[in-house]
Amino acid sequence: MSAPEPLAYEFCALTDQGRVRSNNEDAVTVDVQAQVAVLADGMGGYNAGEVASRMATERIRECLVQWLDGEGRDAPTGELRHAMEVCVDSANRAIYEASHSNAQYAGMGTTLVVAAFRQDRLVLGHIGDSRCYRLRDGALQQITRDHSWLQEQIDAGLLTPQEAAVSGFRNLVTRAMGVEPTAALEVNEFQVQPDDLFILCSDGLTDMVDDGELQSLAALPEPLAERAMRMVAAANQHGGRDNISVLLVRAGDAGKKRGLVSRLLLGSA
């Protein structure tokens, strides 16, 4: 059997502080050549959340890209999964040590979604309640599972998804980077098909925009930058109570130009 043709990946990153917060504790970063995307939603007093999310995204991107440029160039995805775990563990230790050596950063932490695309495969890691969705053939599916108290209640049959959607405990995460010496990264692998669209996002989007509306916005026949702006605008129109970050990745045909990127970094909409 012949090897699958490499797909062309297009990236678009957009972050916004929302309508209520005075600063933006989300962080997004992309390395187009390495086909790596990272999103984090920080938490902590003062600017500590910003520090944690920035440390997570920058360190993980740099670590993964260095590995991919070296020994990981032709490595199987199983080795990529391990490399991702090592990079996240290293970043987690750095955030944890910073929070314990600087009183201003005490208690800081961050959620995480990290995606690495290799030909027709996606290796996806996450911690906390930042999510990744996949739009395929017009249907939207959440492909991460929240590490949150509410998700545990749903899994235990104590709450319905409808009850959880209006709960006052929507932001209680059961896993986060930087709060303990080690962080439990959940890693999964997915096959990618041409025209798949992946949506990495913070809960500032998903708390404001339900899956039905998100599916409609994701399926619009518009450039990725336009779709990302519409998603952020919808979250703000519904209240914008948190920072909003969206990182879109679209898989195109193998013959198209690879590594297209669009990046918009907005302080307010």
Side-chain angles (χ1 to χ4, degrees):
M1 182 180 295
S2 61
E5 290 291 332
L7 294 170
Y9 289 99
E10 180 182 359
F11 298 83
C12 178
L14 175 59
T15 187
D16 185 272
Q17 73 183 43
R19 296 300 194 201
V20 176
R21 300 293 181 90
S22 60
N23 62 333
N24 192 344
E25 295 186 328
D26 288 358
V28 291
T29 187
V30 172
D31 189 290
V32 178
Q33 188 66 31
Q35 299 178 168
V36 169
V38 193
L39 179 147
D41 179 356
M43 61 195 79
Y46 302 103
N47 66 336
E50 293 181 28
V51 173
S53 62
R54 186 173 66 250
M55 288 179 67
T57 54
E58 293 180 356
R59 286 173 180 263
I60 293 169
R61 183 202 69 223
E62 291 170 0
C63 179
L64 266 181
V65 170
Q66 183 178 20
W67 182 83
L68 288 166
D69 285 344
E71 59 189 283
R73 186 180 303 274
D74 299 311
T77 54
E79 293 183 20
L80 174 56
R81 292 166 67 110
H82 178 67
M84 183 178 288
E85 291 169 346
V86 171
C87 291
V88 170
D89 182 66
S90 176
N92 181 80
R93 288 199 309 271
I95 297 168
Y96 180 80
E97 290 170 4
S99 72
H100 283 75
S101 61
N102 188 327
Q104 188 176 2
Y105 300 153
M108 72 177 177
T110 184
T111 68
L112 173 75
V113 186
V114 51
F117 295 87
R118 300 293 299 275
Q119 298 183 352
D120 68 338
R121 308 297 295 179
L122 162 63
V123 176
L124 181 69
H126 79 287
I127 298 173
D129 61 357
S130 291
R131 296 176 176 177
C132 182
Y133 292 82
R134 180 185 62 205
L135 182 75
R136 175 178 288 173
D137 297 328
L140 187 73
Q141 179 184 3
Q142 182 181 337
I143 60 173
T144 54
R145 192 168 190 81
D146 294 352
H147 301 137
S148 67
W149 180 84
L150 279 180
Q151 187 62 57
E152 290 183 353
Q153 301 305 297
I154 293 171
D155 293 344
L158 300 175
L159 284 177
T160 67
Q162 293 74 23
E163 290 170 335
V166 296
S167 170
F169 299 98
R170 298 179 70 176
N171 303 117
L172 294 179
V173 296
T174 54
R175 297 190 200 180
M177 286 187 67
V179 298
E180 295 180 354
T182 59
L185 178 72
E186 181 175 344
V187 186
N188 293 289
E189 186 174 335
F190 302 90
Q191 184 174 20
V192 183
Q193 297 180 6
D195 298 322
D196 280 352
L197 175 68
F198 296 90
I199 307 167
L200 285 65
C201 56
S202 63
D203 65 351
L205 177 71
T206 53
D207 281 353
M208 298 287 98
V209 180
D210 64 29
D211 286 3
E213 184 176 6
L214 184 58
Q215 176 174 299
S216 297
L217 294 170
L220 289 171
E222 296 180 340
L224 292 192
E226 292 292 333
R227 282 183 258 185
M229 286 190 290
R230 288 182 184 275
M231 292 175 189
V232 169
N236 278 321
Q237 288 167 4
H238 293 312
R241 292 194 297 268
D242 200 353
N243 308 140
I244 309 154
S245 290
V246 178
L247 208 165
L248 303 180
V249 187
R250 179 170 58 191
D253 293 332
K256 294 181 180 179
K257 183 179 179 181
R258 300 182 64 188
L260 299 173
V261 64
S262 173
R263 179 186 297 270
L264 298 169
L265 299 174
L266 304 181
S268 60

